[in-house]
Amino acid sequence: MSTPPTGRRLHRVAMVTVHTSPLAQPGEGDAGGMNVYVLEVARQLARRDIAVDLFTRTTSASQPAVVEVEPGVVVRHLAAGPYEGLSKEDLPGQLCAFAAGMMRVAAHAPPGYYDLVHSHYWLSGQVGWLAADRWGVPLVHTMHTMARVKNLHLADGDVPEPLGREIGEAQVVEAADRLVANTAREAQELVELYDADPARVVVAEPGVDLALFRPGSTLEARAAVGVPSDAVLLLFVGRIQPLKGPDVVVRAAAEMVRRRPELRSRLVVGILGGASGTGVRNPMGLPELAERLGIGDLVRFVPPVDRATLAQWYRAADVVPVPSHSESFGLVAVEAQACGTPVVAADVGGLPTAVGPGGVLVVGHDTADWATAISGVVLDPDRRAGLARASAEHAAGFGWARTAQRLAEVYADAMTHPREAPISDAELLTGIPSAVIP
């Protein structure tokens, strides 16, 4: 990779998100926290005079080739395989077509149009690696999730990530000038599980839209989303897949009713989200589970909603359980807390950072433990009020402007001090550092 001139000003970033559009509705299909992250960061960078072109795959014939989100933020849809019917697991075979689309865009732009590539998720990293090398600019990569981490914490019945993904991730780790981790724990996982160079790993914590997600009237929020004013509302938000653990919430709710039968008349369990990943291929059967446990009448399934309505749901809730088996950060936890709603979360990945003093961490996914932790919040008004105050205070430190500022610093450093070690042919083929190849 050629070295950018020292002191060169950063004008435009090519941001790559192959498998899911930043314009997609979070909570549906493969859209989730990463979609929110990419779009919010792009907006904040543009307000710092760093233009961002977001490259993503076309998934519908109705999508325009170019969408200007706001001045300085452009989404470019590239044709790579059939528009519909491809799962995330099918996309490695379309990366060549996607990369060709990026090359065509750059070929019609002035020389040196892009100063840096920032890729998100390993599929994008493979394409970003090629683009950065072709254009002679640095590659910054954010994993968001990692196969080796997910495989260490699989939910019952979930399917391990394939070896091909592990190899692809290792290649991107070796190729990137900088690796952006969401938390210090994720940075440690990159070093320990992928042999990443610690000098190239930096932490930039994700943020939250503090103007939208803010405390407000619980009664008004409940009226807006149709929840009784005297309800005890447990709210799960996320994609419906084993990784996210929505079944843990249903089981815990059933145990709470078993322990305290008088709760039945007031308990509402909101499951807000759509099926995703292995949850699409092998539906989790949450309605059937709720019926078997005798609380089918208490569980309300809500499809993904817009961001303003989501904020109302958070404000309406007594507690937001986040029982993920693996989580690089936990955007749902911070959004809920920004609305002044306590969180009960699994003690995994980046959730301890996201939750902080505004919530409760649970080790493992035992039903009894979760029922006890959730009950300890919703059935103790004084404790809940204290956690609500701490939640809002903690979340106030996670604005997107802070994330974008940190990324701008990382970009500048990558341009000034790109990685020096060349990548060997063996590393290109295997993703294994040349020092350990005989």
Side-chain angles (χ1 to χ4, degrees):
M1 181 183 297
S2 61
T3 302
T6 301
R8 174 178 171 179
R9 184 184 180 281
L10 177 62
H11 292 281
R12 187 177 305 272
V13 173
M15 203 168 281
V16 192
T17 170
V18 171
H19 78 282
T20 178
S21 170
L23 303 180
Q25 169 67 58
E28 290 184 334
D30 290 315
M34 191 184 95
N35 300 68
V36 176
Y37 179 108
V38 168
L39 188 58
E40 293 294 340
V41 161
R43 285 172 164 157
Q44 290 293 334
L45 289 171
R47 293 164 195 173
R48 286 166 171 72
D49 295 324
I50 301 173
V52 180
D53 280 15
L54 291 154
F55 290 90
T56 191
R57 196 178 76 86
T58 303
T59 56
S60 169
S62 64
Q63 289 175 325
V66 179
V67 177
E68 183 180 37
V69 177
E70 62 179 66
V73 180
V74 172
V75 174
R76 297 185 181 275
H77 292 107
L78 303 180
Y83 293 162
E84 299 176 356
L86 287 185
S87 70
K88 186 165 59 176
E89 291 72 23
D90 296 323
L91 292 182
Q94 302 302 325
L95 296 183
C96 182
F98 191 95
M102 287 186 66
M103 295 303 105
R104 282 192 292 270
V105 170
H108 288 88
Y113 191 65
Y114 296 109
D115 301 299
L116 180 140
V117 177
H118 187 173
S119 53
H120 297 268
Y121 193 69
W122 78 276
L123 293 169
S124 303
Q126 290 282 317
V127 176
W129 169 18
L130 184 151
D133 187 65
R134 178 67 60 87
W135 299 336
V137 300
L139 171 65
V140 175
H141 180 72
T142 304
M143 285 288 202
H144 292 283
T145 65
M146 293 180 277
R148 290 174 183 169
V149 175
K150 291 178 71 173
N151 288 345
L152 287 172
H153 304 282
L154 280 181
D156 291 342
D158 208 354
V159 179
E161 293 296 319
L163 178 61
R165 175 179 171 181
E166 289 192 30
I167 294 173
E169 288 177 343
Q171 290 173 330
V172 175
V173 166
E174 180 60 26
D177 293 88
R178 296 294 183 277
L179 293 159
V180 177
N182 288 328
T183 64
R185 181 178 292 193
E186 185 183 354
Q188 183 179 359
E189 290 167 342
L190 279 164
V191 173
E192 293 179 351
L193 299 179
Y194 289 86
D195 198 29
D197 178 359
R200 289 190 282 124
V201 179
V202 295
V203 176
E205 294 171 343
V208 63
D209 184 343
L210 295 170
L212 177 61
F213 296 100
R214 64 186 188 279
S217 168
T218 299
L219 291 179
E220 290 178 6
R222 290 186 172 189
V225 300
V227 172
S229 60
D230 65 343
V232 174
L233 175 58
L234 317 184
L235 178 66
F236 169 89
V237 175
R239 288 169 287 164
I240 310 303
Q241 60 180 144
L243 175 72
K244 299 295 183 179
D247 57 306
V248 176
V249 181
V250 175
R251 295 179 193 278
E255 176 63 13
M256 290 170 64
V257 170
R258 188 192 69 78
R259 295 178 184 179
R260 301 281 294 268
E262 68 273 17
L263 269 177
R264 171 172 286 282
S265 63
R266 298 175 56 209
L267 189 65
V268 176
V269 183
I271 305 292
L272 198 163
S276 174
T278 55
V280 173
R281 296 186 295 277
N282 300 294
M284 295 190 69
L286 293 181
E288 293 80 7
L289 175 63
E291 289 292 341
R292 288 199 307 273
L293 295 174
I295 61 167
D297 57 324
L298 308 184
V299 181
R300 182 183 302 187
F301 293 92
V302 182
V305 297
D306 62 68
R307 307 291 285 165
T309 304
L310 176 59
Q312 291 283 50
W313 272 103
Y314 285 136
R315 286 190 283 267
D318 288 283
V319 67
V320 173
V322 184
S324 303
H325 292 265
S326 175
E327 199 73 66
S328 63
F329 181 62
L331 190 59
V332 164
V334 180
E335 289 175 346
Q337 292 187 132
C339 293
T341 302
V343 167
V344 174
D347 188 3
V348 298
L351 282 171
T353 299
V355 171
V360 177
L361 295 175
V362 181
V363 177
H365 294 82
D366 179 76
T367 298
D369 291 343
W370 277 83
T372 298
I374 294 171
S375 296
V377 175
V378 300
L379 300 181
D380 185 338
D382 290 339
R383 186 184 186 208
R384 186 191 177 282
L387 287 173
R389 290 190 295 272
S391 292
E393 291 172 2
H394 178 66
F398 286 95
W400 285 115
R402 174 174 173 260
T403 308
Q405 178 59 39
R406 177 61 176 141
L407 287 177
E409 294 167 357
V410 173
Y411 294 165
D413 186 57
M415 291 180 67
T416 305
H417 305 101
R419 73 186 302 277
E420 298 177 359
I423 303 174
S424 70
D425 289 342
E427 289 173 300
L428 292 175
L429 292 172
T430 67
I432 302 171
S434 56
V436 300
I437 299 175

